[in-house]
Amino acid sequence: MSNTIFKTSCAALAALYTLSASPALAKLPEPVKAMIDAAIETGDVDKVTTVLDLAKATNPDDAAEVDAISADFAAAQQQLAAQEAAAEEEKIRSAGLFQNWSGQGQIGAFRSTGNSSNTGLTAGIELQRTGINWRHKLNALADYQETAGVTTREQFLVSYEPNYQLNDRVFLYALGQYERDRFQGFSSRISASGGLGYRVIDTDSTQLSVKAGPAYRKTSFINGGSTSDIAGLAALDFDWQVSDTVKLTQDASAFIQSGNSTYISTTGLEAGLGGGLSARVAYAIEHDTAPPAGAVKTDTLTRFTLIYGF
């Protein structure tokens, strides 16, 4: 579709140039005009700018004609950009429920200390769907190890977070999350939260967002019983594309409540391997201020994974 729009815009530009050219402006030598036309045909803005600058410098008496061509080209580029943006918006609006998802899957090994000290397998998937105003995030992660027929680590996490953009910076979020970690003493921990977020930095290479809001958590313990608490959630999400192949990430969150509050920090470093494949090392710290009896307060986990983006 973009190629068709581009050809149409180039044709419109050529017609506009033909109609707008007057005897007073038709002074450029034919070889120079041919060079400019060839550059415009490519649609490469940098190339066209360079050629027009050279034409103007080498033909100063024809500067008015070069400026007119430059203005026509800029107008055509603006029209092309508007048409492409409209086509992309229509594509997003008409997409089905299972379309426009992107993400990454990971599999690898981990090393943990704290409530369990061992090495095992880890696997996860992250999915994201971006619409006009909505963004959906789905995340699942599992760590598991079995030694001599005995499970020595079993941790599962699934979360879903829809965001609604109020403007370029501010968004509303909702979060639903399920966790299971019997070595921390609970068979399930269900969390729900909603609130306000803000994109502090949003560039091609660096993104930083923060969010905060009230939360509710229900924890069911391995030894029986459960608790339900009103909490507050504060979180940070930082991504920095250091180079074409290296990326640094930092995620942090805090569920603050009376009794047991939970603080989590995960630092990751990714290196691209080509073909959508990358290697990642991540170090996570999870601290519970008042864990169940028999559990230590702080767990650390180092994951080494291969990631495939799609």
Side-chain angles (χ1 to χ4, degrees):
M1 180 178 291
S2 295
N3 189 41
T4 302
I5 293 173
F6 171 69
K7 290 181 178 178
T8 302
S9 297
C10 285
L13 173 60
L16 181 62
Y17 170 63
T18 301
L19 292 173
S20 62
S22 65
L25 295 178
K27 297 179 181 180
L28 278 173
E30 286 301 324
V32 177
K33 292 171 66 176
M35 181 176 62
I36 293 174
D37 291 341
I40 290 176
E41 287 272 338
T42 68
D44 187 324
V45 176
D46 291 337
K47 183 178 294 185
V48 173
T49 301
T50 300
V51 171
L52 289 173
D53 287 343
L54 288 173
K56 195 170 181 179
T58 56
N59 299 270
D61 294 337
D62 303 319
E65 183 176 357
V66 176
D67 287 340
I69 296 173
S70 178
D72 289 343
F73 178 73
Q77 288 298 110
Q78 290 179 350
Q79 182 182 14
L80 174 62
Q83 290 172 340
E84 289 181 336
E88 181 63 23
E89 181 174 332
E90 178 58 29
K91 179 182 176 182
I92 293 173
R93 291 187 184 279
S94 61
L97 179 62
F98 299 103
Q99 294 178 307
N100 287 353
W101 287 91
S102 61
Q104 60 183 28
Q106 62 174 306
I107 187 168
F110 66 81
R111 172 65 181 170
S112 68
T113 64
N115 285 290
S116 60
S117 180
N118 48 55
T119 302
L121 298 177
T122 183
I125 187 170
E126 296 180 10
L127 297 174
Q128 181 170 293
R129 185 177 191 267
T130 302
I132 304 300
N133 295 314
W134 286 93
R135 177 179 296 178
H136 302 266
K137 298 179 184 178
L138 182 62
N139 181 44
L141 186 63
D143 298 319
Y144 183 81
Q145 196 220 8
E146 188 175 285
T147 303
V150 178
T151 300
T152 52
R153 184 171 182 86
E154 183 184 63
Q155 184 180 43
F156 304 99
L157 181 146
V158 178
S159 67
Y160 169 62
E161 180 182 335
N163 291 346
Y164 181 79
Q165 297 293 134
L166 295 178
N167 56 43
D168 291 341
R169 295 283 184 175
V170 183
F171 61 92
L172 298 173
Y173 82 89
L175 173 66
Q177 181 171 288
Y178 168 84
E179 301 170 82
R180 173 183 171 87
D181 190 339
R182 69 187 189 89
F183 289 93
Q184 282 188 306
F186 59 87
S187 58
S188 70
R189 183 160 64 190
I190 299 172
S191 306
S193 178
L196 198 63
Y198 183 75
R199 303 189 192 285
V200 182
I201 303 174
D202 191 6
T203 67
D204 290 340
S205 62
T206 309
Q207 297 85 43
L208 171 62
S209 65
V210 294
K211 63 187 178 188
Y216 168 82
R217 293 211 298 176
K218 180 178 180 179
T219 305
S220 298
F221 300 102
I222 292 291
N223 297 326
S226 65
T227 61
S228 297
D229 298 280
I230 299 297
L233 170 65
L236 173 149
D237 184 354
F238 175 72
D239 296 317
W240 177 27
Q241 193 71 46
V242 182
S243 67
D244 290 341
T245 57
V246 178
K247 182 179 181 180
L248 177 67
T249 64
Q250 175 64 55
D251 298 307
S253 64
F255 278 99
I256 303 172
Q257 65 187 60
S258 61
N260 182 33
S261 296
T262 303
Y263 302 89
I264 300 175
S265 173
T266 303
T267 304
L269 185 64
E270 298 179 18
L273 303 177
L277 193 65
S278 60
R280 185 172 193 257
V281 57
Y283 182 72
I285 302 174
E286 181 171 348
H287 178 79
D288 284 297
T289 57
V296 300
K297 291 185 176 182
T298 303
D299 272 343
T300 67
L301 187 68
T302 304
R303 292 185 178 94
F304 304 92
T305 56
L306 286 176
I307 299 175
Y308 180 73
F310 53 89

